[in-house]
Amino acid sequence: QEKLDKAIHMFYKKVREDKSLGTGLFLIHSDKLGFHRKISAHHDPSVATHPGQPFHIASIGKTFTSVIIAILYEKGKVGLDDLLHEHLPEEVIRGLHIYKGRDYSSFIRIRHLLNHTSGLADYYLDRNASGVRLLDLMISEPDRFWTPMDTLDWTKNQLLPKFVPGSGFHYSDANYMLLGLIIESLTGLKYHEALSEMVFRPLGMENSYLVFYSEPEAPLEHSMGKFEYQGLDLYKAKSISMSWASGGIVSTLEDMLRFMRGLVHHRLMRPETREAMNDWAKMAFNLRYGYGIMKFHFPGMSRKYDIWGHSGSIGAVCYYNPAMDIYTIGTFHKNGYQVQPVIFIVNVLRKIRRAVNF
């Protein structure tokens, strides 16, 4: 146990020494190894932290959206090859994907949205003709509230699609805004209601909610961890409403463990439905993207280090390592901090593997 504890104290050391990071929260769990550790830290010792603090999971929320679509697919309410116009009104779809003078909006399928092969631009990070991203407006206009249609209108009117649907990969938050609207159309529920009824309650995630739209079922015992970007406390900014079905969930380490264990042990869907989510598109040389799921393989390393799950743009991570049955969940609270947390997870897995002689 002492050697295993050293793995999690790597996190404490990293966060305490890097002044660019916000409140760090991290959990390592393994049923197989009988190991459950969580920790919190901040580089400023005067800032109070606790492992039970809630945090924005950012784009890890895409996994929740894809899980709801998978459940609806299993129930026969939607097909992966269904076209957008089968589930969304004309005013939403019209002019969504005009590529090289041709309108491909009616060619986009559900599977294209799920694994980012639709060709739609990413409203969050892609720049318009003036070089502006919605990320920039999120910072410069913190009191502005963005509805799902606001972000889709920006996608239509300010950005250009990248390719014909199904012919490439481009990560786009717009894909998951559309999936959120499809969930509402299929269920007759608001997206946050579908989250609660289909994921949170079945898994006992009582401290999770959709920011600006719902509240946790159980009172939160701790305040949000400290997270600032360009002098702005993002937790207080209305502008983060632009995340919605692409990453608007607030959760805790323990609730996120319940979610990942629920996926691993097929508590929300049958194994074959979960397997259908592994429709991999190439995102990077060592990274594949399925339906709301990222899968890493590290060339030159044993397959025992492979992980799947999802990352968030603020250093949030939620991954499972099947070989050793290890869950690594947490956040570093730094915008644009995505590669480093994955490297950190691999280093943690290496230390654990040595400690247990796996």
Side-chain angles (χ1 to χ4, degrees):
Q1 291 294 325
E2 181 180 347
K3 290 182 179 179
L4 291 171
D5 283 339
K6 288 182 180 179
I8 197 151
H9 280 290
M10 286 173 54
F11 179 82
Y12 182 80
K13 184 174 184 292
K14 184 176 183 64
V15 175
R16 287 300 299 269
E17 293 178 353
D18 189 341
K19 294 183 179 181
S20 72
L21 304 178
T23 297
L25 305 166
F26 201 68
L27 177 150
I28 304 175
H29 175 91
S30 174
D31 293 319
K32 181 183 291 186
L33 301 175
F35 185 70
H36 184 89
R37 294 289 188 278
K38 53 189 175 181
I39 195 168
S40 63
H42 194 277
H43 62 82
D44 182 351
S46 69
V47 175
T49 68
H50 191 281
Q53 287 180 287
F55 62 99
H56 283 277
I57 67 171
S59 283
I60 301 171
K62 291 180 174 65
T63 310
F64 286 77
T65 299
S66 68
V67 162
I68 295 175
I69 291 291
I71 293 170
L72 295 172
Y73 163 76
E74 183 173 283
K75 293 180 177 180
K77 293 188 175 183
V78 66
L80 298 177
D81 283 317
D82 288 359
L83 297 166
L84 290 195
H85 67 76
E86 297 179 55
H87 302 292
L88 293 177
E90 172 65 20
E91 58 266 27
V92 175
I93 301 170
R94 188 187 310 115
L96 186 65
H97 191 305
I98 300 176
Y99 180 69
K100 294 185 177 180
R102 182 177 178 184
D103 193 339
Y104 289 93
S105 306
S106 62
F107 289 73
I108 300 174
R109 301 183 183 274
I110 300 297
R111 67 171 70 250
H112 295 150
L113 301 177
L114 287 164
N115 65 2
H116 298 293
T117 55
S118 70
L120 291 174
D122 178 23
Y123 64 78
Y124 186 67
L125 289 178
D126 287 341
R127 299 179 185 275
N128 66 7
S130 301
V132 177
R133 307 169 297 176
L134 279 202
L135 170 61
D136 302 319
L137 298 186
M138 183 177 74
I139 303 303
S140 64
E141 302 177 15
D143 294 327
R144 179 173 177 178
F145 188 90
W146 291 81
T147 68
M149 285 309 303
D150 288 337
T151 61
L152 290 175
D153 286 344
W154 178 274
T155 304
K156 288 182 185 182
N157 301 322
Q158 298 287 333
L159 304 173
L160 296 175
K162 302 297 181 178
F163 48 79
V164 173
S167 66
F169 178 93
H170 184 69
Y171 187 92
S172 172
D173 286 75
N175 290 325
Y176 276 75
M177 286 307 215
L178 290 164
L179 288 169
L181 294 175
I182 289 169
I183 287 169
E184 292 190 336
S185 174
L186 292 171
T187 63
L189 302 170
K190 296 297 184 182
Y191 174 71
H192 64 274
E193 294 172 335
L195 269 176
S196 295
E197 291 192 18
M198 302 174 72
V199 182
F200 293 164
R201 287 176 190 151
L203 296 178
M205 298 175 65
E206 295 185 343
N207 292 138
S208 301
Y209 62 98
L210 187 67
V211 67
F212 302 120
Y213 290 91
S214 62
E215 298 292 335
E217 293 212 349
L220 294 172
E221 298 180 4
H222 306 281
S223 61
M224 290 276 191
K226 188 175 179 62
F227 174 38
E228 293 184 352
Y229 179 61
Q230 295 187 9
L232 176 68
D233 186 345
L234 283 182
Y235 281 146
K236 299 177 181 177
K238 289 183 181 179
S239 56
I240 63 171
S241 54
M242 64 176 63
S243 54
W244 198 57
S246 68
I249 294 172
V250 172
S251 191
T252 62
L253 294 175
E254 293 290 353
D255 266 11
M256 290 304 295
L257 177 60
R258 292 183 181 96
F259 176 65
M260 283 302 285
R261 292 185 79 244
L263 286 186
V264 170
H265 297 290
H266 308 112
R267 291 172 182 161
L268 293 174
M269 65 189 78
R270 295 190 297 265
E272 57 269 29
T273 305
R274 167 63 190 86
E275 184 65 25
M277 297 173 71
N278 296 341
D279 182 7
W280 305 115
K282 185 178 180 180
M283 187 173 181
F285 79 99
N286 66 335
L287 173 59
R288 299 295 180 268
Y289 201 100
Y291 296 164
I293 296 173
M294 295 177 172
K295 181 179 73 169
F296 281 91
H297 168 63
F298 306 96
M301 297 181 68
S302 167
R303 286 282 182 182
K304 291 184 178 180
Y305 293 107
D306 286 5
I307 56 175
W308 64 265
H310 212 288
S311 297
S313 63
I314 58 173
V317 288
C318 185
Y319 285 98
Y320 177 66
N321 169 247
M324 292 182 280
D325 184 43
I326 294 174
Y327 300 82
T328 48
I329 298 164
T331 183
F332 289 84
H333 279 138
K334 179 178 179 180
N335 197 59
Y337 199 70
Q338 293 174 278
V339 174
Q340 299 90 334
V342 173
I343 295 172
F344 175 79
I345 287 173
V346 173
N347 288 332
V348 168
L349 294 176
R350 294 170 91 168
K351 278 191 174 293
I352 292 176
R353 189 179 177 193
R354 293 192 197 105
V356 299
N357 296 316
F358 193 86

